Amino acid sequence: MGLINRLNYFYINFKGFIGTNFILDWLTQSDEEIINLDNLTYAGSLENLASLKDDKQHVFIKGDICDSTLIISLLTKYKPRAIINFAAESHVDRSIASPEEFVVTNVTGTWALLDAARENNVKHFHHVSTDEVFGSLDLNTSKKFHEGTLYEPKSPYSASKAGSDHLVRAYHETYGLPITITNSSNNYGPYQDAEKFIPRVITNLIEGKKIPIYGDGKYVRDWIHVEDHCRAIDLVLHKGKIGETYLVGGQVKNTNNLELVKKILKIMGKDENEIEFITDRPGHDRKYAVDWRKINKELGWEPLHDLDTWLTKTVDWYMSNDWWWKPLKKEAEGFYEEQRDIKSADKFKEFVKETSIPGLLLIEMPTYKDARGFFREVTRMNVLEKIIGDKFKIKQWNHAKSKPKVVRGLHAESHNKLIYPVSGKMFAAIADLRADSPTFGKVETFNFSEGNPRALYIPKGLGNSVCALGTKNVNYLYLIDKYYDGSDTKAVAWDDQDLNIKWPIKKPILSQRDKENPTLRKLFPERFVGK
Ligand code: TDX
């Protein structure tokens, strides 16, 4: 390793795939030291750089780009001649699920770095960005994005990157900060997280899973090998004109996702039965294509890696490095699974209805009938929990049978419950017995029968009472989130005058205990003061 000149330090901020490749390439061809700041969130695994553990040329610092104090202290200590900002939350699907982190890292983080660079008179700030800031092209157009294309980002991810690009340019125009920007098309190659398309396809096939293709699969990306991208950044760093933006793209044009998957299937000796078309990504950009003539003309750059050869090498890399991608894969697939649950949960949400008593929910589920009988989804816990805004962890399942004319209740317990009548005709009266509730004393009634499938979610503190109608026994399930303990049950007379429930029968069969239940006034005297 050559002499390290402290004034020539590079200060690299990176997080993940492209930064890893850049550092590894850089260290094979330069003597300059690299200061690598990374907060090691999911996309920035220290394992990427395991081979550099003992390399004195690579100084690793764990930290956040939003931490201005840290950045300023590092700039003062190392006096780097350039900052390269690779830092980004970069996965479109994650930005759709939770945009906030994207705004924080990509916009606020870039701002914090820019500001620190301005204060410390950094001589070159290079910002690594994406072609997605330009929005989407029509599938059949021959147009390409170029340096003059207007910004039209469509996803929270691309909007946050667009915001960061604007800030970088603003710091140049306003404060004269010496900046350059590269906007690259989709990268592939080693060390890319298995949540991104190409590694997801390869690692799914290695693990014997299907390949999920969004929508019709006719989405076009301008694939570039990461080494070509890193070479472009290196060139811009050394020869790029301050204040300029350079677009960087790949060799192959118009390869859609389906065609790309077919190439990978062929490389891996698999057939198209492995493909599974799934629900499309919302706001999915149709096509990206990059015109890289400017960087070619001015700096002599061109992409050197052809897709077929380098896709094969990328497959080989993933086949030989499962130690690296397996832990990330688990996290990535966990994320996708969670998204699938949320999507299917949305469908069930329309069956759950609020009532006039806060917290009391009526679930009117559909019945799917066929020659064998029917199938019914009674409850989806993730939907229920989202609506009640809390956990509903069932501790005990109960089955009750009532003979015709039996009334049970009215009981208010200290547990939450779900009631689902399975057979027979039933009438239920639910009264708000929560002393501090604005709807105290309010009653809702419901009829249940096989042809009228319903369930009730009854939060603790509501009085519930059920009555068997017709001539057959009624069977119902009730699921509770505490082990049953009758001692904390509050009970009110079924025919309490203040509640005034319109019972469909006059003379019910009651247990001895239910015959002796007190009135509402007696149980809650504080609610009847002066009445
Ligand atoms: O499982 C999948 N199935 C599928 O059909 C995944 C993960 C993706 N896709 C599709 C969506 C896109 O059309 O494949 C294409 C590529 O998807 P991503 O790898 O998620 O990339 P993309 O949405 O194109 O955004 C990328 O390009 C620019 C990167 O995520 C960004 O970080 C980069 O800046």
Side-chain angles (χ1 to χ4, degrees), residues 89-93 129-132 157 161 184-187 192 194-201 211-215 217 219-221 223 257 278 281 284-286 288 336:
E89 293 289 344
S90 68
H91 190 33
V92 176
D93 293 314
S129 192
T130 168
D131 62 351
E132 292 197 36
Y157 161 66
K161 284 301 282 184
S184 159
S185 56
N186 285 53
N187 283 224
Q192 188 171 29
E195 67 189 3
K196 297 285 174 66
F197 190 46
I198 290 182
R200 189 174 189 208
V201 171
I211 301 168
I213 294 193
Y214 296 163
Y219 289 91
V220 172
R221 299 293 182 260
W223 295 100
N257 295 344
I278 64 164
R281 169 192 281 173
H284 196 170
D285 290 339
R286 245 320 153 190
Y288 307 140
Y336 284 118

Side-chain angles (χ1 to χ4, degrees), residues 29 53 87 123 156 338 369 404 420 431 442 456-457 468 506 515:
Q29 47 179 297
K53 223 167 64 202
K123 296 289 176 293
E338 203 178 296
K369 285 191 184 156
Y420 173 58
K442 194 165 183 67
L456 287 176
Y457 171 75
K506 291 275 170 288
K515 278 184 194 157

Side-chain angles (χ1 to χ4, degrees), residues 172-212:
H172 176 63
E173 297 293 335
T174 313
Y175 307 112
L177 185 73
I179 62 105
T180 45
I181 300 177
T182 43
N183 293 82
S184 159
S185 56
N186 285 53
N187 283 224
Y188 70 97
Y191 297 110
Q192 188 171 29
D193 194 315
E195 67 189 3
K196 297 285 174 66
F197 190 46
I198 290 182
R200 189 174 189 208
V201 171
I202 299 171
T203 53
N204 270 23
L205 288 173
I206 295 175
E207 290 190 337
K209 295 185 187 129
K210 295 263 184 225
I211 301 168

